[in-house]
Structures are given as structure tokens and as C-alpha cells.
Amino acid sequence: MIQYVFPDSIIMKILQRYPALGSRDYVLQWIGQFVSNAGTQMQNVAINWQLYEMTGSPYVLALVGASRIIPVILFSLIGGALVDAHNRKKILYVTQVSQALVALAQGILTVTGTAHPANLLALNAILIAIYSLDGPARSAFLPSLVPREHYGNAVSLNVIGYNISTVAGPAIAGFLIAYSGIGSVYILNAMSFLVLFFALLGMRAHGRIEGERKPASFSAIVEGLQFVKSRTLIWSTMLLDFFSTLFAEATILLPIFAKDILHIGPELLGFLYAAPFVGATLIGFVAASTGKRLHTGNMLLASVAVYAAGTLLFGISTNYYLSLAALVIVGAGDGMSSVIRNIIRQLSTPDYIRGRMTAINQIFYTGGPRLGEVEAGLLAGLVGAPMTVVIGGIGTLLVVLVMGTAVPMLRKYKEPA
């Protein structure tokens, strides 16, 4: 049962605009996920910077991307089947503690001076393997926290929280790296997972699956794949997401831009990492407050085109402030498209199969940018970082054109009443 905690007061005006905040469980989830994601984003900055400092090679950044995609490919489908077979809340308890222990290990290695590219990459891969279970569990658990009619608003607010935390995380990480050392970043990330753990303890939602429940098995995985294949709106948004981020993922190259093109240190590097999420946060407020009239297929395609245009601008910029502005545009386009994609998928999926759908999406959603990191690292070694980003922006514009032409149903989509 959804529990509401706000009294009739001026706050009700906020609830009219953001009704998902009326759910006590949703608010706890939002806070816990906010802190946890901030820690994760801090860790991403730390490992990218640490490995580039250790080696000075863009190719090691490609290995970081590989350590983030291979576990997703190997374990996401299994994770989705487990999420649809077991209590989702209990799964989240296990994943938060496990991720905290891995992050703590990264911190201990760094503080004691025993960190090496090999053990850092191995631990990073383990962290992502756990996320292959954690991600589907979080997404499948979310719809049980709010009424169906408030789900679109909850997704928009989650995007806001995700992006605010991703603004804060890299900015904090940059200063911590400069003044406290990289090890402190990993240790704070470990602590951040425990915040979500305690938020889960405070929730009343039980985490049990509604409807048919199947044991985790190969046939259950196949059923999930067949379901996605049968839903044009779902698989088309997955392909759009995958190919756009495959081509236009530039985050992994930010240390190169910072050192070699913009000539800045780790303090300002943190703001480069944060800039896309400033744009996504601002657009998240727009998406949450204006509601369903923006949640359309045409807006989805336009948003990805904006994402590509911002990427192109970043690739040709040699000015720090213009680069920041370009990354804000990148984030705004990605933020709006993320809201619409999530609404389409979750509202088109029954609860009993939501974990498997989310796991398949996770392969596309995570696989696109992670493979993009590998591609960007390798291509940057051949043609340079700026040209790599420009090529990616052009490629993404072509993806929008192809998907908009090939899938008319996607263009015509409108969020149901």
C-alpha cells in the first residue's frame, strides 16, 4: 500500500506538480539512490584519472570500458531472471553490501600503495557484475513504490536525482583527488551503498512479485527475450539508446581533453564530468512538471538529436567554458530521452517479467556507452580525441534519422492516459 506522509499545506502545491513525492517509500528510495549514485560517479572519476595517471595511455581507458561492459553482457540476463524469481527488496540488500565491500577493497589497495591497473580493473569488473543484478532489481522495484498514474513523474524525479548526484559526485571527486587522495573517493563510495541499504530497511514495500513468478532458468531468460522481441516500442528504444551512446560516448576521453586540449587539472575536470548532468537535471524538472505532453516519440528522437549536436560541439571546442556548455547540451538531450525511454518500457511491461526486460535493456543501456568507451579509447589512439568525438556525433545523428524512418510506431508514440 502506498503511504503518504505530507500534510495538507503549502507542500500540497508541490505534490500537485510532483505527486510521486507523496509516497514515503519513494522518497526513501530517492534519497538512498541519490547518495549511492553520487558515490558511484565519484568512483568512476577516480578510476579513470588513476589509471590514466599510472599509464598515460588512452588504451587503458579502453580497458576500463571493457571492464564495465563484459560483466554486463555475461551476467545481466541471469540477473534479470533472478530478479523475476526472488524478492526484489532482499536482492537489493545483498547487492548494496556486496558493492560496498568491493569499493572498500579498491580504497584499501590505493591507500596502501598496492593498487595496480590489473587489480583495479578486476575489482571494477566485479563491481559491475554485481550491478548486473542490482540494476534490474532497482528498476523492477520502483513501480511498486508509486501508483501507476504517478510513474512517469517518478521516472522524471529519478532522472533529476540521478543527475544532481552525478553533478555532485564528480565535482566532489575532483577536489578529493587533488586534496585528500584517490583512496578517499573509493572509501566514500563504499559508505554510499550503505545509505541505500538503510533506506530499504525503512520502506514498507515488500518487494514481492505481482502475478506469475517463474524460477530462474534458461527458459525464463528465453521468455524475456521473446517478450522484448514482440514489443516494437521496447526493442526500438533499446536500439536507439545503444547505437547513440555507442557513437557519442565521450566521457571516457575527458582526462585526455582536460590534460592535452583544455589544459586543466583534476579540480576543473570534475566540472567537465558534472556538466552533462546539469543539463539533464534541468530538463528533468521540465519533464516532471509539464507531464505527458512532452512524453512522445517525436520528442524522444529530437532529444537524441540534441544529444548528438552537443557532442559535435564538444568535439570541436578548445575553450573550457564552451566545452562545459556543450556538455550541458549533451546532458539535456540525454536526460529527456532517458525519461521517455523508461516510461515506454516500464508501462509496456507486466510486473512478472519486468526484471528480465530491464536486464535486457541493461545490456543495451550499459553496453552502448561501455562499448563506446572501448571504441573511443581505441579510436582516440589512432585519430586523436577531438576527431573521435566529432565522428561519434555525426554517427548519432545518422542513428536518429534511420530509427525515425524505419520505425513509424516510435515517432507516433504518446504516453497513455
Side-chain angles (χ1 to χ4, degrees), residues 5 20-21 23-35 89 145 195-205:
V5 297
L21 293 177
S23 166
R24 176 184 181 277
D25 282 358
Y26 176 75
V27 172
L28 286 171
Q29 176 269 344
W30 193 96
I31 293 171
Q33 191 156 293
F34 176 90
V35 176
K89 190 175 182 181
L145 305 181
V195 174
L196 182 54
F197 178 88
F198 287 110
L200 288 163
L201 284 176
M203 293 181 194
R204 297 188 177 97

Side-chain angles (χ1 to χ4, degrees), residues 173-204:
F175 283 98
L176 285 174
I177 291 169
Y179 300 111
S180 299
I182 294 175
S184 64
V185 177
Y186 294 126
I187 292 170
L188 283 177
N189 182 36
M191 295 172 63
S192 74
F193 289 113
L194 299 181
V195 174
L196 182 54
F197 178 88
F198 287 110
L200 288 163
L201 284 176
M203 293 181 194
R204 297 188 177 97

Side-chain angles (χ1 to χ4, degrees), residues 105-119:
Q106 289 177 311
I108 292 172
L109 287 173
T110 300
V111 170
T112 58
T114 55
H116 182 273
N119 55 37

Side-chain angles (χ1 to χ4, degrees), residues 241-258:
D241 189 18
F242 177 83
F243 284 108
S244 61
T245 54
L246 172 65
F247 290 128
E249 174 56 44
T251 306
I252 198 71
L253 301 178
L254 287 184
I256 299 175
F257 276 88

Side-chain angles (χ1 to χ4, degrees), residues 55 57 69 88 97 120 134 149 194 206 222 244 262 267 269 290-291 300 307 311 318 332 340 353 369 373 381 389:
T55 65
S57 170
I69 178 55
R88 290 156 180 173
V97 174
L120 288 174
D134 180 76
E149 63 269 21
L194 299 181
H206 48 69
V222 171
S244 61
L262 302 176
E267 303 94 325
L269 170 66
T290 55
L300 172 59
Y307 170 76
T311 300
T318 58
I340 301 171
I353 204 168
E373 291 174 347
V389 174

Side-chain angles (χ1 to χ4, degrees), residues 22-353:
S23 166
R24 176 184 181 277
D25 282 358
Y26 176 75
V27 172
L28 286 171
Q29 176 269 344
W30 193 96
I31 293 171
Q33 191 156 293
F34 176 90
V35 176
S36 175
N37 185 63
T40 297
Q41 299 304 322
M42 289 168 61
Q43 190 264 0
N44 288 341
V45 174
I47 194 168
N48 290 348
W49 183 265
Q50 186 177 16
L51 290 174
Y52 190 60
E53 271 202 329
M54 282 180 172
T55 65
S57 170
Y59 295 111
V60 77
L61 299 180
L63 290 176
V64 176
S67 75
R68 291 171 178 163
I69 178 55
I70 292 174
V72 170
I73 294 173
L74 292 177
F75 299 114
S76 283
L77 294 179
I78 298 171
L82 288 170
V83 166
D84 283 340
H86 300 283
N87 185 294
R88 290 156 180 173
K89 190 175 182 181
K90 292 179 180 178
I91 289 173
L92 288 170
Y93 286 139
V94 174
T95 57
Q96 300 322 297
V97 174
S98 300
Q99 289 174 105
L101 291 173
V102 175
L104 182 61
Q106 289 177 311
I108 292 172
L109 287 173
T110 300
V111 170
T112 58
T114 55
H116 182 273
N119 55 37
L120 288 174
L121 287 167
L123 287 170
N124 199 57
I126 294 171
L127 200 62
I128 300 301
I130 300 168
Y131 176 74
S132 297
L133 177 61
D134 180 76
R138 289 196 200 193
S139 294
F141 189 46
L142 177 61
S144 67
L145 305 181
V146 293
R148 180 180 174 85
E149 63 269 21
H150 297 160
Y151 183 74
N153 185 256
V155 171
S156 298
L157 290 171
N158 263 18
V159 169
I160 292 170
Y162 174 85
N163 289 297
I164 293 176
S165 64
T166 312
V167 169
I172 294 170
F175 283 98
L176 285 174
I177 291 169
Y179 300 111
S180 299
I182 294 175
S184 64
V185 177
Y186 294 126
I187 292 170
L188 283 177
N189 182 36
M191 295 172 63
S192 74
F193 289 113
L194 299 181
V195 174
L196 182 54
F197 178 88
F198 287 110
L200 288 163
L201 284 176
M203 293 181 194
R204 297 188 177 97
H206 48 69
R208 293 188 293 273
I209 299 163
E210 296 179 7
E212 183 181 2
R213 173 176 166 177
K214 288 189 174 181
S217 64
F218 179 75
S219 63
I221 292 173
V222 171
E223 182 184 23
L225 291 168
Q226 290 174 337
F227 171 81
V228 170
K229 182 182 177 182
S230 70
R231 300 298 195 275
T232 300
L233 281 173
I234 294 178
W235 65 253
S236 64
T237 59
M238 290 181 181
L239 286 179
L240 179 65
D241 189 18
F242 177 83
F243 284 108
S244 61
T245 54
L246 172 65
F247 290 128
E249 174 56 44
T251 306
I252 198 71
L253 301 178
L254 287 184
I256 299 175
F257 276 88
K259 280 194 168 185
D260 303 336
I261 296 167
L262 302 176
H263 307 294
I264 59 174
E267 303 94 325
L268 295 181
L269 170 66
F271 290 109
L272 283 181
Y273 275 103
F277 304 101
V278 172
T281 300
L282 294 174
I283 207 68
F285 279 110
V286 173
S289 60
T290 55
K292 298 178 180 178
R293 64 181 180 273
L294 288 182
H295 301 162
T296 67
N298 281 331
M299 179 59 72
L300 172 59
L301 293 169
S303 299
V304 179
V306 169
Y307 170 76
T311 300
L312 275 169
L313 181 59
F314 178 74
I316 64 176
S317 172
T318 58
N319 177 274
Y320 176 68
Y321 296 103
L322 180 59
S323 296
L324 280 176
L327 290 173
V328 170
I329 294 170
V330 167
D334 189 45
M336 179 58 79
S337 68
S338 178
V339 169
I340 301 171
R341 293 192 313 265
N342 275 286
I343 289 171
I344 290 173
R345 293 165 190 155
Q346 295 289 358
L347 293 185
S348 302
T349 305
D351 186 64
Y352 78 91
I353 204 168

